[in-house]
Amino acid sequence: MKWKLLIPVCLLCCGLVLADVVWLRLNDFCPFNLTVHWGFLWPVQANCSEVYHQSCAPSFNGDGAYYHVFSYQNENVVASMLDWVDPAEDVYISTPVLVHANQHLNSISVPEDQRPNWRACLYWTRTRTDLHKLTVLWDRTAGLLYFVELHI
């Protein structure tokens, strides 16, 4: 009788471990993360591919800082996907946003050669609370999109 109960319990435990591994992996996948946390629809037509990724240690809740860099093929889609802001047009607002994004990159030890050229980027940012921020930077000349995301 005990053996009949042991098999379903073992299968359930294996299923829970597998679900936890899949959840942690999906939480680290930028398009999934953006959709779940921000309702951001990934621009499939832009033909993006990830070229760099750095994040904090894995967390079950997805807390921490995340950084993704993507190259893209279709600039027109990228140009129209967000209301981009030019930092040169509003220095008083953009300077704290970019400094804050740079602090998050420092917190997860992103090397200098993998960081955006801040002066060349347009940006878009959203804040849900003081502890949930997303900054997307677009460097047209390099053909790169940078996502800096914080969840605490």
Side-chain angles (χ1 to χ4, degrees):
M1 187 68 160
K2 289 182 183 180
W3 289 104
K4 288 181 181 180
L5 184 60
L6 184 62
I7 292 173
V9 168
C10 287
L11 288 174
L12 179 64
C13 289
C14 290
L16 289 174
V17 168
L18 181 63
D20 185 44
V21 169
V22 168
W23 178 252
L24 287 174
R25 191 67 199 128
L26 281 176
N27 239 350
D28 211 25
F29 181 58
C30 188
F32 173 80
N33 213 9
L34 291 172
T35 302
V36 169
H37 294 291
W38 300 97
F40 182 90
L41 296 177
W42 191 249
V44 176
Q45 301 86 356
N47 229 2
C48 295
S49 60
E50 190 172 49
V51 295
Y52 183 79
H53 161 77
Q54 180 74 21
S55 64
C56 59
S59 164
F60 181 74
N61 294 327
D63 296 346
Y66 297 86
Y67 178 60
H68 300 268
V69 181
F70 291 88
S71 64
Y72 58 86
Q73 301 298 317
N74 189 339
E75 184 174 308
N76 292 333
V77 173
V78 174
S80 63
M81 76 180 196
L82 298 170
D83 294 327
W84 298 105
V85 176
D86 186 347
E89 292 178 7
D90 198 344
V91 177
Y92 295 109
I93 293 175
S94 61
T95 299
V97 168
L98 300 180
V99 166
H100 195 27
N102 198 39
Q103 288 172 344
H104 295 314
L105 299 185
N106 289 340
S107 74
I108 55 174
S109 305
V110 173
E112 286 296 324
D113 64 330
Q114 296 296 334
R115 294 180 186 219
N117 176 359
W118 302 101
R119 291 188 179 116
C121 291
L122 301 176
Y123 76 92
W124 176 88
T125 189
R126 284 297 174 262
T127 303
R128 283 198 323 223
T129 68
D130 285 342
L131 303 175
H132 292 87
K133 297 177 188 281
L134 172 66
T135 302
V136 182
L137 299 120
W138 176 27
D139 187 342
R140 273 185 157 155
T141 57
L144 296 171
L145 286 169
Y146 303 87
F147 291 81
V148 182
E149 188 175 8
L150 177 70
H151 292 281
I152 295 185

